[in-house]
Amino acid sequence: MRFTRLPAAFALLLGGALLSISEVSIAQASITLNPHCPPGFERDGGNRCLLRSLYQQYDSPHNVGVGGLKTALPAVRDGFSPQQIDLGRYLFFDPLLSADGSLSCASCHHPDKGFADGRARPIGIGGQEIGRSAPGLWNVGFMKRLFWDARAQSLEEQAQGPLYSPQEMGSTPEGVLQRLQSSAEYQRLFGEAFGVEGGLSLGNLYRALAAFQSSLISLNSRYDRYAHGYRDALNEREIEGLNVFRSFVARCAECHTPPLFSNQEIAVIGTPEPDGLPFDEGAAVPFKDATLAGGFKVPSLRNIELTAPYMHSGRFETLFDASEFYTKGRGHAVPEGRELYLHWHIWEPELNDDELERLVDFMKALTDERFKPDTPQRLPSGLAPVHNNNELALQAGEN
């Protein structure tokens, strides 16, 4: 495990002790939080950023049917201030949140990899391999269930999982709060984002991370332009793939329902684990429900081209392989001796290779990164931003 190269004024003490960073904060120019809302958001009179999308003009329910081209989106988590969103951006890339200064949120959710990490299973603190793949974060503000096993009901609740997991970032509430409080810059910025009375607290840490993640909006793909009425946005192969996707034979849209491309439900599909790994009980554990054994939240397919490998365990390397799994027969990969309550949509559509290729063509038309946020070049903590899994990127320059 390599550690961040710290400035001379730093003293990194492991085991939950403080990082002495106030001298560095004074020496460098102060960071200013962006007073403007991110792209796709409009600031109201109360300094709140509200999402603006063409999908808001449609009144067709998002939770009925298989998602027509002009179906509304579910409610989104918005209303954060520009300053709260920007503070969350700095925190997201800051390894100060991990116990040993080696990992940030972006270590497992890289902006250039669909906010996933390109690995079957991420690497956590001390080089430990985490049990499930890192899901992408685009449009996570629409999600009402978080984590693969759907155990969290809000982004604030979700943030505490990796922060305090011994296998992931290895922090404690007391440790992360101490490290943040040791930074004069963070003290000032939390006051700027949440007011003097709110200030720096664990609750506002979680809220700032939620604010930033809710700003990761991807609704301007070529599919979206097609859905809004510009037919030439998709080529003929992609339109064929859309037709397969929405067909009663393939039934992809019944779980990956447009326009979010997830119905946000838990589904037991019987996907295989990688060789040598035990069966993952999935949602059965947090919900204490044996019928959910092997069940996982239906992920969105937005920017799916960028987030290989696929499934909760990273079992499939390509979109073709992941699509082919569904046409190999109901329950074909269920471990011997296990009886799972497979979702009724899992059957035997018998799609041929050409139809599978068209599905892949269509899913690639869901790629849209035009609102990808900038990676800060320096951080309030004085540490170097970390956004490579187990590789500590050393950067310099202006934020």
Side-chain angles (χ1 to χ4, degrees), residues 55 57-61 67-73 223 226-229 259:
Y55 285 104
Q57 71 182 329
Y58 307 139
D59 57 8
S60 51
L69 296 181
K70 296 187 176 183
T71 300
L73 281 160
Y223 163 79
Y226 181 88
H228 295 316

Side-chain angles (χ1 to χ4, degrees), residues 215-286:
S215 74
L216 303 177
I217 298 298
S218 178
L219 297 173
N220 292 302
S221 67
R222 290 189 296 108
Y223 163 79
D224 295 296
R225 297 196 289 277
Y226 181 88
H228 295 316
Y230 179 48
R231 189 187 185 284
D232 290 342
L234 297 183
N235 62 40
E236 292 305 316
R237 292 162 68 93
E238 292 160 344
I239 293 172
E240 289 175 21
L242 171 60
N243 291 335
V244 174
F245 186 87
R246 288 174 46 83
S247 71
F248 187 72
V249 175
R251 309 177 84 154
C252 309
E254 296 186 26
C255 289
H256 296 285
T257 311
L260 186 59
F261 288 88
S262 170
N263 63 4
Q264 308 204 48
E265 299 298 325
I266 297 169
V268 181
I269 65 173
T271 183
E273 302 294 337
D275 293 341
L277 291 185
F279 178 77
D280 190 329
E281 299 291 337
V285 176

